Amino acid sequence: MPPPRKDNEPTTLEAKDYPRLLAQSGSQGAMETRKRYAATIYGLFAVVAVVLLIACANVANLLLSRAASRGPEITLRLAVGAGRLRLIRQLLTESVLLAALGGAVGVLFAVWGKNVLVAMASRDTSFLPPGIEPSLNWRVLLFTTGVSLATGILFGLAPAWRATRHDLTLGLKHGRRSTGAVSRLSKALVVAQVALSLLLLMGAGLFIRTLHNLQQVDIGFNQENLLVFSLQPGQAGYKDERLVEYYRQLTTRLDALPGVRSATFGRIPLLAQYSWNTNVLLPGETEKTASEHLTNRQMVRENYFSTLEIPLLQGRTFTAHDSAGAPKVAIVNQEFGKRYFPSGDVLGKRVTDPGFKREYEIVGVVKDTKYNSQREAIEPLLFTPWLQEVEEIGEVYFSLRTSVEPTALVSAVRQTVGEVDNSLPITELSTQEVRSERSLAQERLYARLLGFFGGLALLAAAIGLAGVLAYSVAQRTNEMGVRVALGARTTNILQLVIWQGMKLVLLGLVVGAAFGYVFKRWMTSQSAVRGSWQQQMTEQLYGVTATDTVTLTIITVLLLAVALLACFIPAWRATRVDPLVALRTE
């Protein structure tokens, strides 16, 4: 704990804590919302770019194989006087047409995907973050159309260039015969696909584990069978004693509802991205000499802890006798005692809220609970009884512990609230579990989208690998026939073809791991900049590191299994080659 400041001594701040003035254009809309989701937006853009690269690598390999199979045709065209530039234009036209058709299918898929997102969001309110409405934008469609055409040209240029670079003498002499060797460019594209797939699947695995870890966090209270909602009596003119009487009458009626074990309320809803905090003064401190002791606040009804099933560890809970005329009391969580009273018993100690000029005697200690979200670290928390904070009550959040399914009591709760005062609307009515899941909407969206795109990338990489090996096997039909005729067994052919593909996969895994390590180092160095999207992206992970061994092992095994299957299919076809047919075609 830093030493107390002397009177009139200025506060010492580190450079990173200096106030900053930043001017930003208001034309960009809700800046705070944009800033909050910046990491998600940039991350998903990078994911889509990676999937696009994998798809382009597949198309490039397809065009390379097609160009190789059309080698005699292109050689003959060149021999009879066709210009190389003209042939390149023809091949590029084919690749651009292919890209345009793919882009058109992508637009249809985007429309379908938008409808799926809307349908899923209507059934599950926690599927999308609040305020996000999926829609198609003509600027985005125009951009993606341009990207489709540009990738068609870019990734069709190399195959077109290679296809037209023929030696006419050798080409006419060999005719349709081929050695069946896979070009280095095709191998490099397969390696790149595997490397990119590893990175994408690793990211998906990390965020899936992050979501799982957050869902398994000990939040400190029992959120099962809790129906929660909000009321704002101040809008109807309730205040002071009239407001107290309203809450007493309403909670009495709610307690008596069939299926309700107990009803309580607090000023701040738990796990809902809400907060109320203040600086407190410890015994013997004054505002001029005290260090900062920032503490979360909560104002609650007497049965708050028993209703939410928050264990009392020391002292007592609040009672109806803790009213406005009684001495001011408070209950704190474990972290409050550990941080501010590490060497003594916290019970009986007095702390002061300088904002309201109130001194509280600590009469109890309860178990630590999550306050703002599952992700945040436990912070000191000060509870005060609602009857001693009448002027601060305002809007409150009710929690009803039920003995039945909470949603079955929705209509009864609405009716009860209406009977007391039908001019007050109920807001944010849901179960506590739904509210908790809603607070993880961003993590859930990221895990689902990354998982989807990761699976898509894995499928594309497997198809690309299988395609390259299938082309190689088709070109080596004669060789396979000779091997079989000379006594090669099925296992020999399988090993030959599978090992040809698995070498590329293993090299891709090494390249992907190396690139991931470099990327992780870069992200770590950039995340030191406060407010940067790199810092936000790094903070997205919870309970897992970017180099998590378990996730890397699982993803590697998955990639190897899928690659082995992709290699096995063309390898099995190679074993079915009839030696007589193969030799007859020589």
Side-chain angles (χ1 to χ4, degrees), residues 326-346:
K328 299 292 188 294
V329 295
I331 293 175
V332 299
N333 66 346
Q334 293 171 277
E335 182 61 26
F336 189 100
K338 292 176 183 177
R339 186 173 303 186
Y340 299 143
F341 299 97
S343 59
D345 190 357
V346 68

Side-chain angles (χ1 to χ4, degrees), residues 20 49 76 90 111-112 140 181 236 291 304 307 313 355 397 450 462 476 520 543 579:
R20 298 184 304 163
L76 184 59
Q90 176 188 343
V111 174
W112 171 81
V140 176
S291 302
Y304 183 82
T307 301
L313 304 179
Y397 292 82
L450 267 179
R476 298 171 67 183
K520 183 251 183 186

Side-chain angles (χ1 to χ4, degrees), residues 204-519:
L206 290 175
F207 279 96
I208 290 173
R209 290 200 63 193
T210 291
L211 179 61
H212 177 266
N213 291 340
L214 288 171
Q215 291 173 332
Q216 301 302 314
V217 165
D218 180 13
I219 58 178
F221 65 96
N222 183 10
Q223 63 179 350
E224 296 180 359
N225 291 339
L226 270 183
L227 184 66
V228 295
F229 63 91
S230 174
L231 287 176
Q232 296 178 321
Q235 295 181 350
Y238 286 95
K239 61 180 180 179
D240 301 331
E241 290 302 320
R242 185 165 174 253
L243 180 61
V244 172
E245 183 57 32
Y246 171 78
Y247 280 135
R248 280 176 172 164
Q249 184 179 358
L250 180 57
T251 51
T252 300
R253 286 174 175 263
L254 292 174
D255 280 329
L257 277 178
V260 175
R261 290 163 49 190
S262 62
T264 193
F265 56 77
R267 181 177 174 182
I268 301 298
L270 298 180
L271 308 181
Q273 305 295 338
Y274 283 59
S275 63
W276 173 28
N277 50 61
T278 186
N279 186 35
V280 298
L281 301 178
L282 302 181
E285 293 183 338
T286 65
E287 290 186 63
K288 292 182 178 180
T289 62
S291 302
E292 185 178 59
H293 307 301
L294 195 62
T295 301
N296 289 329
R297 288 288 309 275
Q298 178 67 295
M299 178 190 62
V300 299
R301 191 184 179 217
E302 306 86 64
N303 63 342
Y304 183 82
F305 303 106
S306 60
T307 301
L308 269 64
E309 299 182 9
I310 300 176
L312 177 68
L313 304 179
Q314 298 181 48
R316 68 174 179 87
T317 59
F318 298 134
T319 68
H321 298 293
D322 296 316
S323 57
K328 299 292 188 294
V329 295
I331 293 175
V332 299
N333 66 346
Q334 293 171 277
E335 182 61 26
F336 189 100
K338 292 176 183 177
R339 186 173 303 186
Y340 299 143
F341 299 97
S343 59
D345 190 357
V346 68
L347 294 181
K349 298 296 192 299
R350 294 182 177 273
V351 296
T352 304
D353 184 340
F356 295 110
K357 306 299 181 182
R358 295 173 185 158
E359 185 180 65
Y360 304 97
E361 179 186 355
I362 300 175
V363 297
V365 179
V366 295
K367 179 183 177 182
D368 287 334
T369 60
K370 293 292 184 176
Y371 181 75
N372 193 302
S373 67
Q374 295 92 329
R375 182 185 292 274
E376 70 169 4
I378 298 294
E379 296 292 338
L381 178 57
L382 182 75
F383 298 90
T384 53
W386 72 290
L387 290 175
Q388 295 183 351
E389 309 274 357
V390 173
E391 63 274 18
E392 297 299 323
I393 294 178
E395 178 184 15
V396 298
Y397 292 82
F398 278 82
S399 298
L400 275 60
R401 175 71 63 186
T402 68
S403 56
V404 297
E405 174 61 33
T407 54
L409 298 176
V410 169
S411 59
V413 169
R414 289 187 181 277
Q415 181 179 354
T416 301
V417 174
E419 289 173 353
V420 179
D421 188 339
N422 59 12
S423 65
L424 289 179
I426 293 179
T427 58
E428 302 182 48
L429 178 60
S430 67
T431 66
Q432 179 62 50
E433 291 177 315
V434 169
R435 176 180 287 173
S436 300
E437 287 297 309
R438 191 179 295 137
S439 69
L440 299 176
Q442 186 173 355
E443 288 84 356
R444 182 177 299 100
L445 176 65
Y446 214 73
R448 288 175 176 177
L449 289 179
L450 267 179
F452 171 76
F453 284 117
L456 193 63
L458 181 61
L459 178 63
I463 292 175
L465 178 61
V468 168
L469 291 181
Y471 170 74
S472 175
V473 169
Q475 296 296 97
R476 298 171 67 183
T477 300
N478 297 335
E479 175 192 343
M480 297 300 174
V482 171
R483 288 177 178 273
V484 173
L486 294 178
R489 294 177 297 179
T490 299
T491 54
N492 300 132
I493 302 297
L494 286 174
Q495 290 175 0
L496 176 68
V497 178
I498 290 177
W499 178 238
Q500 179 184 356
M502 292 306 292
K503 285 190 296 185
L504 302 179
V505 173
L506 294 175
L507 180 59
L509 292 176
V510 173
V511 172
F515 185 81
Y517 177 76
V518 173
F519 180 74

